[in-house]
Amino acid sequence: MIRTFLIKNLLATSKKNKQRLKFFSELGIFLVLAALISSGISIYFENKLNNYKVKLIKLELEEFKIQEWLTDAPSRNLEFKIGKFTYDTIENNEKVNISKKRFYFYLLTWYPFTIRYAIDDIELIKNEILKKKYNFKNIKKTNEDALNYVYEIYDKFPDNENEYLESSEILEIEEVLKNVPFDDILFHLNQSEYNTLQINLFFQDYNRIVDSEKKELKKIILNTTDKSTDAILYAFIFQLVIFSLVQIFELKELS
């Protein structure tokens, strides 16, 4: 009698254990699937966020270059204006031994090289509308003309490896510049000043575009982060509902 009772009890217990085992097995599968789906969603959105962040970093780096030219371009024109003012104050001073041609040619020599660096940076920018607006082709051409003009005159100057010019070398330079029309120097100088102003305006406009793109990207990053959190939550709730329905149907079958 006792032996029969124990066997029946064991069988009953085994049946309950099987049901419990089945429930926990299904619960384990549900949790694993939930983790896998959540991981898949996280990976998908993380890739999107990484792409957006890479674009944002590129825009930040672009802004460094923009800020540099927003500083350097007006600074160059300011130095030019200060230089002209300085010469006007010393022009009639007998103690100053420098002609107007030599002084203005000295001011000119700084421009084409600075503008050429700006041209190199602008060529990397893929915005043809801005380039057309500020006549970028003309800036390149006129700056190349100014550069050739400077080199052409430089080639006639005496060779000098010292930091300071000797009196004889200064006289040779002044002699070379006697044959150079002052209007030509002034033309290239004024054109270079204008080109520098256009470069500054170009980068001002481009800076506004980059700022706008950065703001839009930051909004997209925030929205994508929110969507990622919502997608994981909705996926978990959907799986929980399915799991609950399966358990309800199984309980009905058992009853």
Side-chain angles (χ1 to χ4, degrees):
M1 289 290 293
I2 295 173
R3 188 174 179 182
T4 305
F5 174 77
L6 288 172
I7 291 170
K8 286 181 180 180
N9 189 46
L10 181 62
L11 289 171
T13 305
S14 298
K15 189 175 181 181
K16 289 179 181 177
N17 285 341
K18 285 180 180 178
Q19 289 175 355
R20 289 176 182 173
L21 181 62
K22 184 180 179 183
F23 172 79
F24 284 114
S25 297
E26 290 175 350
L27 179 62
I29 292 169
F30 162 75
L31 292 174
V32 169
L33 286 174
L36 288 172
I37 292 170
S38 297
S39 297
I41 292 170
S42 295
I43 290 169
Y44 170 74
F45 281 102
E46 198 62 38
N47 284 334
K48 291 187 76 173
L49 285 170
N50 283 337
N51 290 333
Y52 293 141
K53 286 174 182 176
V54 167
K55 289 180 182 178
L56 187 60
I57 290 169
K58 286 181 179 179
L59 289 175
E60 292 283 0
L61 293 173
E62 195 75 0
E63 202 165 51
F64 290 147
K65 180 168 62 180
I66 292 169
Q67 295 302 322
E68 181 181 2
W69 284 113
L70 288 179
T71 303
D72 288 355
S75 174
R76 174 56 55 207
N77 274 349
L78 178 62
E79 287 177 14
F80 167 52
K81 291 181 185 301
I82 291 172
K84 288 202 296 185
F85 173 77
T86 301
Y87 188 80
D88 289 341
T89 60
I90 65 171
E91 186 173 10
N92 298 317
N93 191 330
E94 295 179 358
K95 294 182 179 179
V96 179
N97 184 25
I98 182 170
S99 68
K100 192 169 186 177
K101 283 185 183 180
R102 181 153 67 93
F103 191 87
Y104 272 56
F105 181 73
Y106 165 77
L107 293 177
L108 171 63
T109 55
W110 287 97
Y111 265 116
F113 301 99
T114 304
I115 293 172
R116 188 169 62 179
Y117 288 125
I119 288 170
D120 291 341
D121 285 340
I122 292 173
E123 284 186 323
L124 297 174
I125 297 170
K126 296 177 181 178
N127 192 318
E128 299 306 317
I129 295 173
L130 271 186
K131 290 178 183 178
K132 189 174 181 181
K133 179 180 178 181
Y134 293 102
N135 204 350
F136 180 58
K137 288 183 179 178
N138 185 63
I139 291 174
K140 286 177 67 177
K141 182 184 180 305
T142 53
N143 190 66
E144 190 65 29
D145 291 343
L147 200 59
N148 291 334
Y149 179 77
V150 168
Y151 277 129
E152 184 183 343
I153 295 174
Y154 258 146
D155 288 342
K156 297 174 183 177
F157 285 173
D159 294 331
N160 176 45
E161 296 180 356
N162 301 321
E163 187 176 355
Y164 300 102
L165 292 170
E166 300 289 338
S167 298
S168 58
E169 292 172 327
I170 292 173
L171 290 174
E172 286 183 58
I173 290 171
E174 291 284 6
E175 194 65 33
V176 169
L177 290 172
K178 278 183 182 179
N179 299 319
V180 177
F182 177 74
D183 287 345
D184 289 352
I185 297 174
L186 192 60
F187 169 77
H188 288 293
L189 195 52
N190 289 335
Q191 183 65 56
S192 295
E193 182 187 15
Y194 176 76
N195 285 345
T196 304
L197 174 62
Q198 294 303 104
I199 288 167
N200 180 254
L201 293 174
F202 175 94
F203 279 105
Q204 282 184 30
D205 265 5
Y206 187 52
N207 187 51
R208 283 191 282 270
I209 293 169
V210 170
D211 279 343
S212 177
E213 289 179 1
K214 279 173 59 182
K215 287 178 182 176
E216 192 61 32
L217 260 178
K218 286 176 181 177
K219 287 180 183 177
I220 292 171
I221 288 170
L222 287 174
N223 289 336
T224 304
T225 303
D226 291 339
K227 285 180 181 178
S228 172
T229 304
D230 291 343
I232 292 171
L233 178 62
Y234 294 149
F236 179 80
I237 292 171
F238 177 74
Q239 291 171 85
L240 184 60
V241 170
I242 297 298
F243 176 75
S244 300
L245 289 173
V246 169
Q247 295 304 312
I248 290 168
F249 286 130
E250 287 186 355
L251 286 172
K252 284 184 177 181
E253 287 180 6
L254 289 173
S255 61

